[in-house]
Amino acid sequence: MAEVYYVGVDVGTASVRAALVTRTGLLKSTAEEPISIWEPLSDHYVQSSSEIWDKCCTVVKNLRESCWNKAAHFFDLPDFLSWKATGSLTRSLCTLVCKWTYCPPEGWDPSFWSSIGLEDLQENNFSKIGSMTCPPGSPLGDGLTTEAAADLGLEPGTAVGASLIDAHAGGLGVIGADVKGFHLPCEDQPITSRLAMICGTSTCHMAISEQPLFVPGVWGPCLSAMVPGMWLNEGGQSATGRLIEHMVKGHAAYTQLQEQARQRCPFAGENVYSYLNSHLSKMADSHSSVDLLASSLHVWPDFHGNRSPLADPTLKGMVIGLSLSQTLDDLALLYLATVQALTLGTRHILEAMREAGHDIRTLFLCGGLSKNALFVQIHANATGLPVVLPDQMEAVLIGAAILGACASQDYSSIQEAMEKMAKVGKVVQPERELQSFYKRKYKVFLRLFAHQREYQTLMSQR
């Protein structure tokens, strides 16, 4: 029997990526193409949907070769790409529920569109913005059209699954993995006991439930927005990898850090964050944990406002415990305190979710920051929960391929495809002896927020 492959496509801000994935979830190869970004005015950014489709075609063709004006419709990008591929106008519930105002099973609310002066969108049963919807992974139309198949270098009729937003695809690519034998608290528990974290420039926290749960400061609940038939709550941090980069590159010792990293590994070009992790280990006493080095240095990480659970875009960053010293040691400590602040932000989101009824016992991480061993370990330490890492780091592409597997009807459901194609790579357990330290550190974290609000109140008085 010939090997069956699925193609997962991920459209990001700066590039289009595609992966060839086997029926068991093994990523065989990837391809990537950059996307143009124009800035016609300050803080105004424009991209081309047509170019994005062309780049999708290019990356899929590259995969195959390496292995073998007036708007009639308004699409979110994932649905636009699905339409280009199949000619189907059916929208994914992921995009309509999460990014628009669609609420299944009732659908669109006509009063909303009337209130904002867009009554014309109600014509023909909302055909311009989507009168037909389906859960992610549902087969669209008759598969690839002849034209799209030629563009992509694939066979006409190849099944195409209803799409997901990239972060949601990442969640799909990790959260359903079979965890038997890893002695995790989520074993033999429903999938609702897991939280998927997609960690990159920003971070999304994906939790699902069988019944709708309303969490203050957290988006949702959204029905069938990630896993069909289940409700999604999505927390998030506006700046994570971007904040770490800002703190490290903006420090006076950054040039010295770059030089030290080059000297230690001149040919491989060692990642500066790997070097910082090693440097912190050397700074720590052999009888103590790296985490304790930042006992007197505290960061409130909302330099770009707070998305969850406070939903306050006016909040700013705070750093407590600085001195006049600007050595490489000081840079390493600021980096450590920033990572700790981000993990305490995750703890803050977790507590809000638990208070609303979620029973989360295990974290499933993916994305660029999940490759940072210190970031992962501190997430386990600060939350007290084990962290599961996938065996293949391209979880978004695995999630996209899962949609193709379901559309091909090779699996009976998204849940079955997730269990077969998502794999556990590594489990990181929390260091229990640090529980008291992070309990105290978290109290300081919350007081930083309370103090900032207090300062805002004081300064607004006349």
Side-chain angles (χ1 to χ4, degrees):
M1 181 178 177
E3 180 70 86
V4 175
Y5 292 101
Y6 308 105
V7 177
V9 179
D10 170 28
V11 179
T13 304
S15 66
V16 175
R17 300 183 304 149
L20 206 62
V21 182
T22 69
R23 195 172 191 274
T24 58
L26 178 64
L27 191 151
K28 296 290 289 185
S29 62
T30 62
E32 185 171 2
E33 284 285 320
I35 301 173
S36 302
I37 302 175
W38 294 273
E39 188 176 1
L41 299 171
S42 178
D43 290 332
H44 288 66
Y45 301 95
V46 178
Q47 292 184 293
S48 166
S49 299
S50 297
E51 184 196 40
I52 290 171
W53 171 253
D54 291 340
K55 293 301 176 75
C56 287
C57 296
T58 299
V59 291
V60 173
K61 279 183 177 178
N62 289 345
L63 273 184
R64 185 175 182 274
E65 291 170 1
S66 65
C67 318
W68 29 279
N69 287 333
K70 184 176 178 181
H73 302 281
F74 294 90
F75 294 100
D76 208 85
L77 179 59
D79 289 323
F80 168 78
L81 296 176
S82 298
W83 170 70
K84 286 288 289 185
T86 67
S88 172
L89 293 172
T90 300
R91 267 59 161 200
S92 169
L93 285 174
C94 180
T95 49
L96 288 198
V97 173
C98 292
K99 291 194 173 183
W100 292 64
T101 60
Y102 193 86
C103 186
E106 295 85 1
W108 299 108
D109 179 1
S111 65
F112 169 75
W113 300 106
S114 297
S115 70
I116 61 173
L118 293 176
E119 298 89 345
D120 59 308
L121 293 182
Q122 301 178 41
E123 295 174 1
N124 298 320
N125 191 28
F126 295 93
S127 62
K128 285 188 176 182
I129 55 175
S131 57
M132 297 175 289
T133 65
C134 66
S138 301
L140 294 175
D142 296 320
L144 287 179
T145 64
T146 301
E147 181 183 3
D151 287 342
L152 293 164
L154 297 174
E155 291 295 318
T158 298
V160 176
S163 58
L164 283 170
I165 300 165
D166 53 359
H168 300 63
L172 203 68
V174 294
I175 201 171
D178 184 355
V179 298
K180 287 184 176 62
F182 288 92
H183 309 292
L184 289 164
C186 65
E187 186 174 349
D188 298 322
Q189 297 295 318
I191 196 173
T192 54
S193 64
R194 309 176 182 194
L195 179 81
M197 290 181 55
I198 299 82
C199 315
T201 303
S202 59
T203 292
C204 293
H205 303 71
M206 307 287 197
I208 53 177
S209 59
E210 294 182 357
Q211 300 299 324
L213 298 175
F214 291 85
V215 187
V218 170
W219 293 353
C222 302
L223 180 60
S224 296
M226 186 170 81
V227 179
M230 304 198 79
W231 295 84
L232 172 71
N233 280 121
E234 180 187 342
Q237 293 167 304
S238 300
T240 46
R242 180 68 184 91
L243 178 62
I244 294 172
E245 181 183 18
H246 173 78
M247 300 296 262
V248 170
K249 290 188 174 181
H251 197 277
Y254 179 64
T255 301
Q256 181 186 357
L257 169 64
Q258 288 180 298
E259 183 58 32
Q260 292 287 339
R262 273 195 297 265
Q263 288 181 10
R264 194 166 89 165
C265 201
F267 300 108
E270 182 178 37
N271 184 298
V272 293
Y273 302 108
S274 298
Y275 182 87
L276 282 173
N277 293 348
S278 299
H279 190 80
L280 285 166
S281 296
K282 292 177 182 177
M283 290 174 63
D285 186 275
S286 58
H287 301 292
S288 65
S289 172
V290 164
D291 304 53
L292 303 178
L293 292 172
S295 296
S296 301
L297 186 59
H298 308 285
V299 174
W300 179 262
D302 292 326
F303 285 50
H304 196 54
N306 182 283
R307 174 176 161 187
S308 301
L310 302 173
D312 186 348
T314 69
L315 288 176
K316 306 298 182 186
M318 302 169 72
V319 183
I320 304 297
L322 293 175
S323 70
L324 284 175
S325 178
Q326 290 186 315
T327 65
L328 184 55
D329 283 1
D330 296 305
L331 170 52
L333 290 177
L334 184 60
Y335 160 70
L336 171 61
T338 301
V339 171
Q340 288 178 333
L342 292 169
T343 61
L344 292 172
T346 291
R347 179 167 172 168
H348 201 192
I349 293 168
L350 276 169
E351 289 198 352
M353 288 182 167
R354 285 170 173 158
E355 288 174 6
H358 282 284
D359 179 24
I360 295 166
R361 306 185 184 190
T362 308
L363 305 181
F364 287 71
L365 265 63
C366 66
L369 278 178
S370 68
K371 301 173 186 177
N372 184 323
L374 183 74
F375 182 87
V376 173
Q377 184 65 65
I378 293 181
H379 259 87
N381 295 345
T383 63
L385 299 177
V387 174
V388 175
L389 299 176
D391 71 331
Q392 299 176 91
M393 301 309 292
E394 298 289 358
V396 173
L397 294 173
I398 298 294
I402 286 173
L403 300 176
C406 288
S408 303
Q409 299 181 337
D410 287 342
Y411 292 106
S412 61
S413 66
I414 286 281
Q415 287 89 335
E416 183 189 4
M418 286 193 295
E419 187 174 347
K420 299 294 185 183
M421 296 177 69
K423 300 287 194 306
V424 175
K426 181 181 180 181
V427 174
V428 178
Q429 295 288 350
E431 299 171 7
R432 298 296 177 187
E433 64 274 13
L434 292 171
Q435 186 174 358
S436 174
F437 169 76
Y438 277 107
K439 183 177 181 180
R440 289 177 278 124
K441 186 93 173 173
Y442 186 56
K443 286 182 178 178
V444 174
F445 180 83
L446 294 179
R447 288 189 184 183
L448 288 174
F449 158 65
H451 289 168
Q452 183 169 162
R453 283 275 172 87
E454 182 182 348
Y455 304 155
Q456 290 174 339
T457 301
L458 284 170
M459 295 308 296
S460 66
Q461 297 173 353
R462 297 188 182 274

